[in-house]
Amino acid sequence: MKKTSTRLADGRELIYYDLRDDTVRDAADRRPLERTHTTSEIRRDELLGDSVAVASHRQGRTYHPPADECPLCPTRGDRLSEIPDSSYDVVVFENRFPSLAGDSGRCEVVCFTSDHDASFAGLTVEQARLVLDAWTDRTSELSHLPSVEQVFCFENRGAEIGVTLGHPHGQIYAYPFTTPRTALMLRSLAAHKEVTGGENLFDAVLERELAGGRVVLEGEHWVAFVPYAAHWPYEVHLYPKRRVPDLLALDEPARTEFPQVYLELLRRFDRIFGEGEPPTPYIAAWHQAPFGALEEFEGVTRDDFALHLELFTIRRTSGKLKFLAGSESGMSVFINDVPPERAAERLREVASS
């Protein structure tokens, strides 16, 4: 992998990740952009104990442009975009309309390929590995920023999810706090460790799932399963079999196998609802241990956390979405219409031929 860092016309950082070591990236951003001004602010909810990012400047972000005006495609002739070069393998750049900025963290866009009509599932193993390397590199770099406590790599895919740009891409959020979802895991981890005299909860869950009937696919170093208490109709968790706290700690065998397992999982997601259905909308979310202090989670260290990816779709059956209505949105109590065992069975049925 070759990494080349440059600056866009308004001062934002852009980084090329290339498969070839002899690739030269010296194209300049020719757009007449002014410096970006953001209004990102973190507000604490005293009753719930969580935080909300208020970012009014995002109201003006690009919304469903035609394909020939996509800002994530490479620059071609006089059609200027966020990527100055005429081609790329993987690109990461600071979001022009970030939810988090400055002392409130940082937001980046990850473009998986220059092909506008592709998808992550359509990448080659080599391309998917390059994305993994980019996620890992950005996790390392962002973790050293003084305002950052947790790094979150994710992909939103599909208009049903709320994606405003059709080009295959994901995002990275660098939060200035430990997110509420992660804090819940850490509290459960601490409680289980105390009750069992030191047993790791992630290890216990993984051991149970490996012995159960909800495993979707398994490799030498990774296993994907539908969790016992899945919140979403089709939800899969992907774990490395050797517990590590973050992407940085994955060893080379796990890195080598990951693209094969993950690409197969995504392709199965696209076949869940049968032939002729539009691509399955999904969210793919990496859970990594925070880099900040963990004193409030007594007895827990970073090494107790287990890196894993959560993949789920909001589609519950052909042509129907799972809406977060009263119970889910008002009380955070999910009601799942698809038994996890049946979801796992379906995902095994649609294995690649």
Side-chain angles (χ1 to χ4, degrees):
M1 178 187 78
K2 181 181 180 181
K3 176 183 175 183
T4 307
S5 180
T6 184
R7 292 282 171 180
L8 296 174
D10 55 7
R12 289 175 293 132
E13 185 178 19
L14 180 142
I15 306 163
Y16 295 98
Y17 293 90
D18 286 296
L19 292 167
R20 292 174 56 97
D21 290 337
D22 60 353
T23 304
V24 176
R25 300 295 185 187
D26 56 7
D29 184 1
R30 294 181 280 134
R31 297 172 297 171
L33 297 180
E34 297 181 354
R35 288 276 176 173
T36 302
H37 298 285
T38 63
T39 58
S40 181
E41 175 188 1
I42 302 295
R43 296 188 180 184
R44 180 80 173 169
D45 187 317
E46 296 178 354
L47 290 179
L48 297 180
D50 59 11
S51 298
V52 176
V54 180
S56 60
H57 62 276
R58 284 175 53 79
Q59 288 281 34
R61 66 187 185 274
T62 307
Y63 187 80
H64 292 301
D68 61 354
E69 296 179 18
C70 175
L72 306 185
C73 287
T75 290
R76 299 278 169 78
D78 293 330
R79 200 199 68 77
L80 309 179
S81 75
E82 287 278 64
I83 296 91
D85 216 320
S86 59
S87 66
Y88 63 84
D89 291 334
V90 172
V91 165
V92 177
F93 60 88
E94 289 184 75
N95 198 322
R96 191 178 178 189
F97 303 97
S99 301
L100 309 167
D103 293 338
S104 298
R106 177 157 156 153
C107 292
E108 297 182 340
V109 177
V110 184
C111 297
F112 304 139
T113 171
S114 60
D115 184 353
H116 181 85
D117 298 317
S119 67
F120 201 119
L123 299 181
T124 66
V125 167
E126 189 179 35
Q127 288 173 311
R129 169 60 191 263
L130 185 60
V131 176
L132 174 64
D133 290 341
W135 282 331
T136 304
D137 181 70
R138 296 316 300 153
T139 296
S140 175
E141 293 292 327
L142 293 170
S143 71
H144 291 98
L145 296 180
S147 63
V148 172
E149 190 166 308
Q150 185 171 4
V151 179
F152 175 46
C153 307
F154 65 101
E155 179 191 2
N156 295 330
R157 195 267 194 117
E160 300 94 328
I161 298 293
V163 175
T164 58
L165 296 175
H167 196 102
H169 73 287
Q171 299 181 69
I172 302 175
Y173 277 22
Y175 297 101
F177 50 79
T178 297
T179 62
R181 186 76 177 277
T182 303
L184 285 173
M185 294 184 200
L186 292 169
R187 292 189 191 102
S188 296
L189 191 61
H192 185 85
K193 193 172 186 178
E194 181 179 5
V195 169
T196 61
E199 182 182 72
N200 184 280
L201 179 57
F202 285 112
D203 291 350
V205 168
L206 189 57
E207 182 180 357
R208 181 189 68 195
E209 294 294 354
L210 280 167
R214 290 179 297 274
V215 172
V216 174
L217 59 92
E218 182 179 357
E220 183 179 354
H221 305 284
W222 293 85
V223 59
F225 59 86
V226 177
Y228 171 73
H231 289 59
W232 298 92
Y234 290 93
E235 174 183 335
V236 177
H237 292 190
L238 178 62
Y239 277 72
K241 290 183 177 178
R242 182 179 71 88
R243 173 166 44 90
V244 294
D246 53 36
L247 291 166
L248 302 173
L250 286 174
D251 59 21
E252 185 55 33
R255 291 183 182 280
T256 299
E257 186 181 76
F258 168 77
Q260 304 164 44
V261 175
Y262 187 48
L263 290 172
E264 170 63 18
L265 189 58
L266 290 179
R267 290 162 187 166
R268 292 191 190 192
F269 251 61
D270 271 345
R271 292 193 294 270
I272 295 173
F273 303 106
E275 296 293 331
E277 287 291 318
T280 301
Y282 64 74
I283 292 175
W286 280 109
H287 293 273
Q288 305 191 79
F291 291 95
L294 300 179
E295 284 84 357
E296 64 176 293
F297 310 105
E298 190 172 349
V300 171
T301 68
R302 287 193 82 249
D303 289 336
D304 290 321
F305 195 86
L307 167 76
H308 60 285
L309 183 140
E310 181 179 348
L311 175 69
F312 63 90
T313 178
I314 62 170
R315 189 179 293 165
R316 57 187 174 87
T317 189
S318 179
K320 296 180 181 178
L321 301 181
K322 165 65 178 176
F323 292 103
L324 300 188
S327 186
E328 291 89 354
S329 295
M331 285 290 124
S332 294
V333 178
F334 275 69
I335 300 169
N336 191 350
D337 303 318
V338 180
E341 292 73 20
R342 174 53 191 152
E345 182 181 9
R346 176 59 183 155
L347 284 162
R348 289 193 296 267
E349 289 174 352
V350 295
S352 294
S353 58

